[in-house]
Amino acid sequence: GVPVGLSNALTVSTVLACARLVANGIAQVPLKAYVRSQARIGRLKRIDHPLLDLIAWKPNAWQTGFEFMQTLVLHLLLTGNAFVYISRAGDGRILELVLIEPRHVTMTRQRDMSILYDVGSDEGFNRRLSSRDLWHIRGLSVNGWAGLDMVRQTRESIGLALATEETHALLHRNGAQPGGVISVEGNLTDPQHEMLSEWVTKHAAAGNRYKPLILDRGAKWSGMQMSGVDSEHLATRKFQIEEICRGLGVIPMMVGSTEKNATYASAEQMFIAHVVHTLAPWARCIELSAEVNLLSADEDVDLVFDLKGLMRGAAKDRADYNAKALGAGGGRGWATQNELREGEGLDWHPDGDALPQPITAGANPGTAAQGSA
C-alpha cells in the first residue's frame, strides 16, 4: 500500500547502498580502447581514442568522467534505461555527452522498428530525437527496446521496507511500546486523568528509571515486555535487505548484511563474485552500447572497462602468479610480459610479446629464459 518511485526508493538504505556500490564500482575503473582485429587473434593492442577523453575525462562542461558514469549507471540500474544526448559537430564528431533523466524521456517504436524519443524537461522544453542523437543504454528487457524498471519490478520489497521503517520510527517517536500500565479502580474524571498523567511524567519517566513506584487509591502497576510480534519486526527488516539485494542483483554481504559464520576466505570469494556476477554484466552492457552508438561502423575498436584491478589479490600473491606465468621454477610459461603488465596496469614493453621458453638440459639459462626475465 506504499507508493514506490525512484525518489523515495533511494531513501531506503539498502536500495541506496546497492545503487552506490554498483555505480561507484563501474565509475572507478578505467575505460580502455583496443584494436578489435588484434583482440580476435589473441593479442591486445591498446590505442588512444578521442572517445576515451570524452567519456572518462570530461563528457560535458559540468561533469567529470567519474560523475558522468556514476549517474549513468545509477539510471541504468534502477530504471533499466540510461539516456545520453549526443552533441555533434557538423562533420559528425562528438563534442559532448549530456545525461537526461529517464523520467523526461518517452519512447515510441515505429513500424520500421526504429525508436523515437520525446525528451521533455521540468521547464516545459520538448524535443523529438532519433537514435543518432540519443545514446540509449538498456538493461534487462522483455520487449528488446525498453529496459525493465527495477524499482517498479521490486516495488513490493521496497514498499515493505518503507512501511516497516515508518512503523518502527513511529513506534519510537510516539512511545507506542509502554514500559507498563497503571490501573486504578473506578473511573477517572478529566482533571484526575490529567493530574495522574502529569504525575507519571514527573515521577515514572525514564529519568527516574528503577526508582520504587509509590501508588495509592487502589492503583496497580503491571510491567510490560516486548512481545514476540515486536521482535519479529526486526527480523522482517533484516529479511527485506536480502529481498532488495536479490532484486537488484547485489550480494547482501557487499552492502553490510553479513552472517556470523562468514570468514576472510569466504569474504574474498564474495568480492570476486561481486565483480564477476554484478559489475561485469553492467560493464559489458555499456561497452557494447558505446561501440554501437558512439563509434562509426568502419572503426576497428573495442572499448573495455578494466575490471581486473578490482580482482587483484595481495602483492605477494600477484608476484607468485606472475612468476609462474613466466615459467619460474622450470615450468613452461603461459603468458607474455606484456599480458602480465596489462594486468598490473602497466604499459606494454616493445620486447615483451614473446612467450617464455622452457629451460632444457644443456641450454643456456639466459637464452632459454629470454622473454621471462
Side-chain angles (χ1 to χ4, degrees), residues 54-296:
L54 199 63
I55 295 178
W57 179 247
K58 195 174 181 59
N60 51 58
W62 58 89
Q63 281 184 308
T64 65
F66 184 93
E67 295 165 345
F68 173 83
M69 189 56 62
Q70 191 182 45
T71 306
L72 185 150
V73 176
L74 181 69
H75 290 173
L76 187 57
L77 175 69
L78 297 182
T79 72
N81 299 278
F83 301 98
V84 181
Y85 173 68
I86 307 171
S87 177
R88 298 181 185 271
D91 57 1
R93 290 182 299 109
I94 300 176
L95 300 178
E96 66 175 0
L97 300 172
V98 180
L99 279 163
I100 302 174
E101 290 185 62
R103 66 187 179 92
H104 288 151
V105 180
T106 302
M107 292 176 282
T108 306
R109 188 168 66 169
Q110 306 299 299
R111 290 185 178 181
D112 61 356
M113 305 303 287
S114 64
I115 304 174
L116 294 178
Y117 303 89
D118 292 302
V119 181
S121 69
D122 294 330
E123 293 76 24
F125 170 82
N126 290 282
R127 184 177 178 182
R128 172 163 284 191
L129 301 174
S130 67
S131 56
R132 182 182 184 277
D133 299 315
L134 198 72
W135 176 23
H136 178 197
I137 310 103
R138 304 172 187 84
L140 185 67
S141 175
V142 174
N143 56 25
W145 57 276
L148 284 174
D149 189 325
M150 287 296 107
V151 170
R152 181 175 298 175
Q153 296 300 316
T154 58
R155 62 185 180 274
E156 294 298 336
S157 298
I158 297 173
L160 182 54
L162 285 168
T164 52
E165 284 187 3
E166 182 180 1
T167 301
H168 217 157
L170 290 174
L171 177 71
H172 289 282
R173 186 180 71 183
N174 296 330
Q177 182 69 53
V181 174
I182 296 177
S183 60
V184 297
E185 296 179 358
N187 298 324
L188 293 174
T189 64
D190 289 343
Q192 289 174 330
H193 187 279
E194 184 177 351
M195 183 176 63
L196 181 60
S197 296
E198 292 177 357
W199 184 90
V200 170
T201 302
K202 180 178 180 181
H203 297 283
N208 293 288
R209 183 177 297 175
Y210 305 123
K211 287 185 178 180
L213 191 62
I214 302 173
L215 304 174
D216 60 357
R217 299 185 183 180
K220 298 179 181 179
W221 165 261
S222 300
M224 296 181 65
Q225 295 180 350
M226 179 177 283
S227 66
V229 175
D230 296 323
S231 59
E232 284 299 317
H233 182 83
L234 300 178
T236 300
R237 294 195 65 188
K238 180 176 177 58
F239 180 71
Q240 288 313 111
I241 296 176
E242 299 178 7
E243 280 290 280
I244 294 172
C245 287
R246 192 176 292 120
L248 296 179
V250 174
I251 300 172
M253 181 179 180
M254 299 303 299
V255 296
S257 178
T258 58
E259 297 294 337
K260 293 182 179 179
N261 58 355
T263 63
Y264 179 81
S266 62
E268 185 179 21
Q269 292 304 311
M270 285 291 184
F271 299 150
I272 295 175
H274 170 69
V275 175
V276 173
H277 298 294
T278 301
L279 298 185
W282 288 118
R284 190 58 178 155
C285 172
I286 298 170
E287 291 166 1
L288 290 177
S289 182
E291 291 173 13
V292 170
N293 293 280
L294 302 181
L295 298 177
S296 59

Side-chain angles (χ1 to χ4, degrees), residues 337-338 348-354 371:
Q337 282 189 8
N338 280 338
W348 281 30
H349 191 277
D351 301 325
D353 286 333

Side-chain angles (χ1 to χ4, degrees), residues 326-327 330-335 354-360 364-365 367-372:
L326 292 173
R332 183 178 182 87
W334 64 83
L355 278 171
Q357 300 298 317
I359 299 177
T360 56
N364 185 333
T367 303
Q370 185 176 4
S372 63

Side-chain angles (χ1 to χ4, degrees), residues 290-372:
E291 291 173 13
V292 170
N293 293 280
L294 302 181
L295 298 177
S296 59
D298 59 347
E299 289 189 89
D300 188 25
V301 177
D302 273 334
L303 300 176
V304 179
F305 283 104
D306 187 4
L307 297 175
K308 294 188 295 294
L310 299 178
M311 301 178 65
R312 289 189 297 184
K316 182 179 183 303
D317 295 333
R318 300 203 313 273
D320 291 342
Y321 172 84
N322 291 343
K324 292 179 180 178
L326 292 173
R332 183 178 182 87
W334 64 83
T336 67
Q337 282 189 8
N338 280 338
E339 289 171 338
L340 298 178
R341 289 175 66 88
E342 179 75 22
E344 294 294 329
L346 302 174
D347 292 333
W348 281 30
H349 191 277
D351 301 325
D353 286 333
L355 278 171
Q357 300 298 317
I359 299 177
T360 56
N364 185 333
T367 303
Q370 185 176 4
S372 63

